[in-house]
Amino acid sequence: MTDTARQENPVADAAAIDDQPAIRLINLTKKFGEVTVVDHLNLDIRRGEFFSLLGPSGCGKTTTLRMIAGFSDATEGTIVLGGEDVTSVQPHKRNVNTVFQSYALFEHLDVEGNVGFGLRRKGLDKSEIKRRVNEMLELVDLAGRASAKPRELSGGQKQRVALARALVNRPEVLLLDEPLAALDLKLRHRMQVELKEIQREVGITFVFVTHDQDEALTMSDRIAIMNNGLIEQSGTPEDVYERPRTKFAAGFIGTSNLMTGMHSEAVLTLESGLSIPLPGHPELTQGAAVSIAIRPEKIWMAEFDPGMVRIPGTVSATVYHGATTQYLVDVAPGVRLTVLEQNLARSRHDDRWTDGDTVELGWKPEHVVVIG
Ligand SMILES: Nc1ncnc2c1ncn2[C@@H]1O[C@H](COP(=O)(O)OP(=O)(O)O)[C@@H](O)[C@H]1O
Ligand SMILES: [Mg+2]
């Protein structure tokens, strides 16, 4: 792509521009009738990265993935894979493979037959197929199950067969559509770690679709948060968690205390009349409406540091989670903040709070995120 073309097609995340990304989506749009489900999406996905598309059900993740794979035509826009415009290229001619949530294994074929399917269709010779299939079965830890039928396998094993079947083709890009959603929680956590290890080992670009924010945070090099066919924010897990840029991003990833008010002289005045000091933001306009977000774990309830913002409150509910306790604290009529305290062996304080207790909340000014 020429520099001029790039200027005409600004990507959502300017920092993501790379000389030749694995995938570049330019103004990618999908309409079903009058309904726009993917809305002028601009995105660069780098070579070799584990990239997640994260968003609620119905926001357009699967539709985006299907357009990248070529199973669905773009209404508008361009898809570039490895520097080549593939917008009108047939799916089987794109160097991309997809792993679906449903596995879609061939029930009548054994594991070896399933994994080698694509290679046989390409007409590779038998010894080469055997070598590559065995290599993949080693990779996904199924070397001993080559002659098992899918019905004899657990959910996690089936998912690994589906992964091996896609990776054996050595695609430039692997698309994964909620591949772990059908697994129970424990197995899902184990597969998250395994999948990430496999991705590192093979070095293939993974585009991973999920609605599970924990999954996206723990597995990804970068995440794009999608909402209503648009990308709200993209960045590293730390970027999107610590510095959400929109209310949606702040609320969808983790829990956030969101407060909106009028800003004046480094104070935010909420509708309820509560005044919250907001130091350290010279960029804010006087008299402008401003929203701020504070993560529950960034709010302290005791042993404050100098320089912290402190406001009084009343505990309205406590929820014990084992390693942590969640407190809901009323700081003004209609303003309830969530606070997460670690239950450490040697706590910062000995006593715990119960409903009705008067408390003080404190946070460091740098932990307040101002949202545009
Ligand atoms: N073939 C189709 N015809 C009409 N509407 C569709 C079709 N496929 C998806 N949609 C709609 O597009 C929106 C996005 O769907 P999808 O991409 O599957 O979302 P996600 O994968 O994020 O849950 C949804 O509102 C869905 O109902
Ligand atoms: Mg989907």
Side-chain angles (χ1 to χ4, degrees):
M1 181 179 275
T2 65
D3 280 353
T4 336
R6 188 173 292 154
Q7 278 160 14
E8 284 164 5
N9 297 300
V11 291
D13 181 358
I17 291 177
D18 176 308
D19 274 334
Q20 202 187 76
I23 302 177
R24 169 166 286 171
L25 307 179
I26 306 161
N27 287 325
L28 188 65
T29 300
K30 181 73 184 183
K31 291 184 183 174
F32 291 111
E34 292 296 298
V35 186
T36 304
V37 299
V38 176
D39 195 359
H40 297 89
L41 205 114
N42 288 291
L43 189 64
D44 273 10
I45 297 173
R46 296 171 194 153
R47 283 172 187 274
E49 83 177 336
F50 195 117
F51 191 93
S52 291
L53 271 181
L54 170 70
S57 176
C59 73
K61 306 182 296 295
T62 295
T63 306
T64 302
L65 222 55
R66 287 173 54 80
M67 287 193 284
I68 297 173
F71 301 137
S72 175
D73 289 334
T75 311
E76 212 183 296
T78 307
I79 301 164
V80 182
L81 292 180
E84 185 198 352
D85 181 343
V86 298
T87 317
S88 344
V89 171
Q90 294 289 307
H92 64 277
K93 291 194 177 142
R94 301 186 187 190
N95 202 357
V96 164
N97 272 87
T98 309
V99 176
F100 302 97
Q101 181 184 335
S102 60
Y103 318 135
L105 298 181
F106 304 112
E107 293 296 328
H108 62 289
L109 295 179
D110 61 12
V111 167
E112 193 173 0
N114 267 284
V115 175
F117 185 81
L119 300 182
R120 283 199 304 281
R121 248 189 11 178
K122 279 187 192 159
L124 266 66
D125 68 63
K126 273 192 174 146
S127 61
E128 171 72 0
I129 294 175
K130 186 138 193 96
R131 195 184 62 73
R132 279 171 63 174
V133 168
N134 285 340
E135 187 183 82
M136 278 304 127
L137 292 182
E138 288 281 340
L139 181 75
V140 299
D141 206 17
L142 280 175
R145 305 305 309 270
S147 51
K149 288 281 174 61
R151 65 174 175 276
E152 300 169 84
L153 302 176
S154 69
Q157 289 173 326
K158 283 188 208 173
Q159 190 50 263
R160 292 207 291 263
V161 174
L163 186 64
R165 188 178 57 178
L167 286 174
V168 81
N169 298 314
R170 297 181 182 157
E172 290 268 342
V173 171
L174 188 67
L175 307 174
L176 303 105
D177 194 356
E178 313 231 12
L180 309 181
L183 306 177
D184 67 56
L185 192 66
K186 266 226 160 97
L187 184 57
R188 200 158 82 217
H189 284 158
R190 215 178 68 209
M191 284 296 293
Q192 287 170 1
V193 175
E194 283 184 17
L195 196 56
K196 176 80 193 185
E197 276 173 10
I198 289 170
Q199 191 266 340
R200 282 223 185 96
E201 210 167 315
V202 296
I204 289 173
T205 309
F206 275 32
V207 184
F208 185 87
V209 158
T210 181
H211 65 271
D212 182 330
Q213 34 129 344
D214 286 329
E215 193 161 277
L217 284 176
T218 54
M219 297 179 78
S220 316
D221 296 314
R222 288 193 309 135
I223 299 173
I225 302 174
M226 215 173 153
N227 183 30
N228 277 330
L230 291 166
I231 288 179
E232 295 251 342
Q233 182 171 1
S234 62
T236 63
E238 200 185 321
D239 276 339
V240 297
Y241 184 82
E242 300 287 347
R243 292 171 289 279
R245 283 205 298 258
T246 66
K247 283 186 187 178
F248 179 83
F252 192 73
I253 294 215
T255 309
S256 247
N257 293 295
L258 272 171
M259 288 174 277
T260 302
M262 278 299 191
H263 164 261
S264 163
E265 311 270 327
V267 171
L268 187 70
T269 306
L270 308 189
E271 207 180 311
S272 62
L274 180 69
S275 293
I276 297 177
L278 188 55
H281 290 281
E283 78 282 6
L284 293 178
T285 318
Q286 300 293 329
V290 167
S291 292
I292 61 169
I294 312 169
R295 296 289 185 189
E297 71 277 14
K298 298 286 174 17
I299 302 180
W300 300 22
M301 290 176 71
E303 298 187 16
F304 303 104
D305 279 356
M308 279 185 148
V309 169
R310 289 159 70 166
I311 57 171
T314 307
V315 175
S316 67
T318 64
V319 187
Y320 179 73
H321 290 294
T324 56
T325 299
Q326 186 186 42
Y327 295 93
L328 301 182
V329 180
D330 291 334
V331 293
V335 185
R336 180 167 291 179
L337 300 187
T338 302
V339 183
L340 202 63
E341 283 276 325
Q342 297 272 349
N343 295 328
L344 304 172
R346 286 193 56 205
S347 180
R348 286 190 274 127
H349 41 79
D350 291 331
D351 50 356
R352 295 276 133 201
W353 299 274
T354 50
D355 298 5
D357 283 354
T358 301
V359 293
E360 203 177 1
L361 303 183
W363 56 78
K364 295 182 178 178
E366 66 264 33
H367 288 149
V368 171
V369 181
V370 173
I371 290 174

